[in-house]
Amino acid sequence: MNNELVNNFLYFCQPYEEENYFKNTLIYLCKNDEEGSFGIIINKKVKINLKDFSLKPDEELEAILNDNKVFLGGPVTPFSPFVLHSLEVKYDETHEVTTNIGVSSRPDIIQSILNKDFPKKFIVSFGYTGWSSGQLEKEIQQGSWIIIPANEQIIFSTKSDNKVEEASKLAGFNLNLVSSIHGKA
């Protein structure tokens, strides 16, 4: 497996499939090993109020509304929350992507966010994007994905509508203009 793919953005580039789930999506790849690959879409906003997930519903908590913090992370387990976050604190099950970024799926992290205890930088994803062992590499070879170096500013601070544009700047070309037949002369 190609662990060098981890901590990169993936951009779907199959323009002929107009109704594809991944059209115009930017995925942050968190894991790629012999078991498969795991990523989170970081630019598909959803209207979910995190306060509805509070473990203490009677408590008056400031709601963190969908201000570029809550996303549909992918088609796998779309009702389960995953939090991509900075690593000031790590939970036992936090998967460390880099020394600065981790992903957690414990429900108590949502409560921590609502209490403003942790973490400083985060996005919440409902669901994730997954591939079986070797599937992602095959799709990349077929020209379905463009790989772009990840950037924390884009993940945590850029508005969702601008993430593809900012990733385009990192790539050096407009991702929206890429064809799936690139590099196949």
Side-chain angles (χ1 to χ4, degrees), residues 96-181:
E96 194 172 317
V97 181
T98 71
T99 56
N100 298 324
I101 299 173
V103 63
S104 301
S105 59
R106 290 177 49 140
D108 55 346
I109 192 171
I110 301 292
Q111 188 64 41
S112 293
I113 290 168
L114 291 167
N115 291 337
K116 296 184 178 181
D117 291 337
F118 163 80
K120 290 180 183 174
K121 299 176 187 176
F122 71 92
I123 60 172
V124 177
S125 153
F126 284 86
Y128 68 92
T129 302
W131 296 265
S132 61
S133 181
Q135 181 184 1
L136 177 58
E137 287 83 356
K138 184 178 178 183
E139 290 180 13
I140 289 169
Q141 287 175 347
Q142 293 170 342
S144 297
W145 300 98
I146 293 175
I147 304 164
I148 305 134
N151 175 288
E152 285 186 44
Q153 177 76 22
I154 293 173
I155 295 169
F156 298 118
S157 303
T158 303
K159 291 186 177 189
S160 61
D161 296 343
N162 298 334
K163 288 184 179 190
V164 170
E165 179 183 336
E166 292 302 312
S168 292
K169 291 175 185 174
L170 288 176
F173 54 89
N174 186 338
L175 292 169
N176 290 314
L177 300 178
V178 174
S179 165
S180 63
I181 56 174

Side-chain angles (χ1 to χ4, degrees):
M1 294 296 104
N2 186 350
N3 273 335
E4 294 175 7
L5 290 175
V6 172
N7 190 38
N8 279 292
F9 293 138
L10 300 174
Y11 181 78
F12 187 71
C13 58
Q14 291 285 343
Y16 304 116
E17 299 180 34
E18 290 298 319
E19 296 303 316
N20 192 294
Y21 181 91
F22 296 105
K23 183 180 178 185
N24 201 36
T25 59
L26 193 62
I27 297 172
Y28 178 68
L29 193 63
C30 301
K31 178 183 168 220
N32 185 54
D33 60 23
E34 63 281 343
E35 296 175 11
S37 305
F38 169 92
I40 292 177
I41 297 171
I42 62 167
N43 68 325
K44 272 190 167 184
K45 285 194 307 188
V46 292
K47 302 268 185 204
I48 294 175
N49 187 337
L50 291 181
K51 189 174 179 179
D52 294 340
F53 291 87
S54 174
L55 299 175
K56 301 175 188 174
D58 297 332
E59 200 173 303
E60 276 300 314
L61 298 171
E62 179 182 331
I64 299 174
L65 300 175
N66 189 33
D67 186 24
N68 292 291
K69 293 288 185 196
V70 184
F71 299 89
L72 179 59
V76 183
T77 65
F79 299 107
S80 299
F82 295 85
V83 180
L84 195 57
H85 57 85
S86 52
L87 289 175
E88 298 87 27
V89 177
K90 295 178 197 170
Y91 288 99
D92 289 339
E93 56 71 61
T94 296
H95 172 73
E96 194 172 317
V97 181
T98 71
T99 56
N100 298 324
I101 299 173
V103 63
S104 301
S105 59
R106 290 177 49 140
D108 55 346
I109 192 171
I110 301 292
Q111 188 64 41
S112 293
I113 290 168
L114 291 167
N115 291 337
K116 296 184 178 181
D117 291 337
F118 163 80
K120 290 180 183 174
K121 299 176 187 176
F122 71 92
I123 60 172
V124 177
S125 153
F126 284 86
Y128 68 92
T129 302
W131 296 265
S132 61
S133 181
Q135 181 184 1
L136 177 58
E137 287 83 356
K138 184 178 178 183
E139 290 180 13
I140 289 169
Q141 287 175 347
Q142 293 170 342
S144 297
W145 300 98
I146 293 175
I147 304 164
I148 305 134
N151 175 288
E152 285 186 44
Q153 177 76 22
I154 293 173
I155 295 169
F156 298 118
S157 303
T158 303
K159 291 186 177 189
S160 61
D161 296 343
N162 298 334
K163 288 184 179 190
V164 170
E165 179 183 336
E166 292 302 312
S168 292
K169 291 175 185 174
L170 288 176
F173 54 89
N174 186 338
L175 292 169
N176 290 314
L177 300 178
V178 174
S179 165
S180 63
I181 56 174
H182 66 281
K184 295 188 179 182

